Amino acid sequence: MSMTVLSRPWARTAAVLLAGALLLTACQADQENGQETDDVGDNAEASETGGDYPVTVDTVYGEITLEEKPERIVSVTGPYAEMLVALGEQPVAFAGSPRAGDDYLAGHPWMEDTDVDVSVHDTDLIAEGYTPSMETVASYEPDLIIGQGADWGIDEEMFEQLSEIAPVYTTPYEYDQWDKTLSDLAKLTGTAEAGMEAIAEVEASFDEARERIEHLQGASYIYGDLVEQDIRLTGHFYLLEQLGLATDEDLAALESISLEALDQITTDIFYVMTWRSEDAVETLESDPRWGELPAVQNDAVIYADAALTNATELGPIAIPWALDQITAELEDATVDQAEQ
């Protein structure tokens, strides 16, 4: 049976729904054995020791079923190694973000104080074009492979090939539905209670972050990506939206502007990715118009380096870390609410 979760990480509601799913699963299982129970705690205890198998979840390419708890999990894309660690599980091998290179912790500093085993971080898991290396994946003899769909290397043909090695979970959800993906992984690994706890902790971090920048609620922002002489623009950035900030829709509709049009950045807050070039910050700040931008005058510019950009892959450990980085930059912002 599929587990019911929310598309947004609101812990109290998510916990209620997930607990309901656990209760329903427990009751059905016991009825089949001629037993009755109304104790959700019994089912939670079972999840800690491996849960009830077989379990079935949806993927981009259809359902997969595990007959028993996986012991040799390989994560080839996305923040899935982080999700496993949050659930108390360890992959036998995992690939981090390509932006991190060989130094996983440099690119994922929020993992420094966790139980992640960096010795099994293997950059060879990913071949050219972000596609998994079949040979490297197979060498670990996995009983579960975790990755993302066609946008990140696992198209349907690759899915079929990897499935000859082991069952493959490719999340069917959008990137900002991280809680649904986490709940699927909790179901697959028999760690539902840990999944609920992780969701609750993330929601608590959102509550704390919103309080830190309460004076900025409703302030406008644009999300930019500096690529050579252009700034690619987008809005509806999950973390900022959850903090109560508002996309400048007109600016986002432009999709891209050249640096020559820098003065079109008129939002209260400017979040800009600078990881692509060592000179990115200098390029922006050396422009004579930079100091005139409202976001600069508001002290509300966020430079996103490789680590902060990696954190936007939205793992349950990365999100609180990213919120700390973002709110630290915005706490002293001086946006004039009267102008909004």
Side-chain angles (χ1 to χ4, degrees):
M1 174 171 290
S2 298
M3 186 176 295
T4 304
V5 292
L6 289 179
S7 61
R8 294 190 182 278
W10 293 353
R12 289 182 293 273
T13 308
V16 170
L17 288 177
L18 194 50
L22 287 174
L23 178 59
L24 181 59
T25 301
C27 291
Q28 289 178 332
D30 287 339
Q31 286 173 354
E32 290 175 359
N33 292 317
Q35 299 175 350
E36 295 291 341
T37 180
D38 57 2
D39 188 355
V40 178
D42 290 344
N43 194 69
E45 182 178 352
S47 73
E48 290 181 340
T49 59
D52 295 323
Y53 291 86
V55 295
T56 299
V57 298
D58 289 329
T59 77
V60 173
Y61 306 112
E63 292 183 341
I64 62 167
T65 297
L66 297 187
E67 299 296 333
E68 58 187 5
K69 180 178 174 67
E71 301 292 342
R72 299 186 58 81
I73 305 174
V74 171
S75 171
V76 295
T77 55
Y80 302 130
E82 174 184 336
M83 289 188 174
L84 291 172
V85 171
L87 295 172
E89 300 291 310
Q90 288 285 350
V92 295
F94 68 92
S97 167
R99 289 180 291 268
D102 293 332
D103 191 343
Y104 176 75
L105 291 180
H108 304 77
W110 55 90
M111 297 297 288
E112 289 181 356
D113 296 326
T114 70
D115 295 329
V116 65
D117 183 358
V118 295
S119 70
V120 298
H121 174 233
D122 189 350
T123 57
D124 291 336
L125 282 168
I126 303 299
E128 187 176 352
Y130 298 129
T131 59
S133 166
M134 297 286 293
E135 181 179 357
T136 305
V137 171
S139 71
Y140 287 100
E141 300 181 351
D143 50 15
L144 177 63
I145 301 167
I146 304 173
Q148 287 176 301
D151 290 343
W152 285 90
I154 302 182
D155 58 20
E156 190 165 7
E157 181 180 359
M158 176 66 73
F159 178 85
E160 295 295 337
Q161 293 174 351
L162 288 170
S163 295
E164 295 179 3
I165 301 172
V168 182
Y169 175 76
T170 53
T171 179
Y173 308 113
E174 298 296 329
Y175 96 102
D176 58 355
Q177 295 175 301
W178 60 270
D179 52 336
K180 287 189 173 185
T181 299
L182 181 63
S183 292
D184 275 358
L185 294 183
K187 185 175 182 180
L188 289 169
T189 56
T191 55
E193 186 174 8
M196 288 192 294
E197 291 175 355
I199 290 172
E201 289 172 3
V202 171
E203 177 54 24
S205 73
F206 272 113
D207 289 340
E208 293 170 4
R210 280 188 285 268
E211 289 179 4
R212 291 175 67 180
I213 59 168
E214 187 175 6
H215 63 295
L216 297 179
Q217 296 299 295
S220 65
Y221 79 90
I222 195 67
Y223 180 101
D225 182 5
L226 182 59
V227 183
E228 297 180 350
Q229 296 299 306
D230 294 314
I231 303 175
R232 298 173 183 172
L233 302 173
T234 188
H236 303 285
F237 176 45
Y238 175 77
L239 293 178
L240 298 188
E241 297 281 325
Q242 291 293 307
L243 290 178
L245 308 182
T247 295
D248 184 317
E249 300 290 356
D250 292 337
L251 197 52
L254 297 177
E255 296 185 351
S256 181
I257 62 172
S258 69
L259 283 176
E260 295 178 356
L262 181 64
D263 51 6
Q264 292 188 44
I265 305 294
T266 57
T267 49
D268 299 319
I269 298 164
F270 185 26
Y271 184 107
V272 56
M273 290 196 293
T274 57
W275 65 272
R276 298 181 188 276
S277 169
E278 295 180 356
D279 302 324
V281 174
E282 181 181 354
T283 297
L284 292 170
E285 294 184 348
S286 64
D287 190 297
R289 297 163 299 172
W290 178 254
E292 300 302 316
L293 300 184
V296 176
Q297 295 184 347
N298 294 339
D299 194 21
V301 175
I302 303 167
Y303 295 120
D305 59 10
L308 185 51
T309 302
N310 288 341
T312 61
E313 292 180 352
L314 302 183
I317 305 172
I319 291 175
W321 180 89
L323 293 176
D324 282 343
Q325 306 302 306
I326 292 170
T327 54
E329 295 298 323
L330 295 180
E331 277 184 306
D332 297 326
T334 55
V335 173
D336 185 355
Q337 295 289 332
E339 296 180 359
Q340 295 178 32

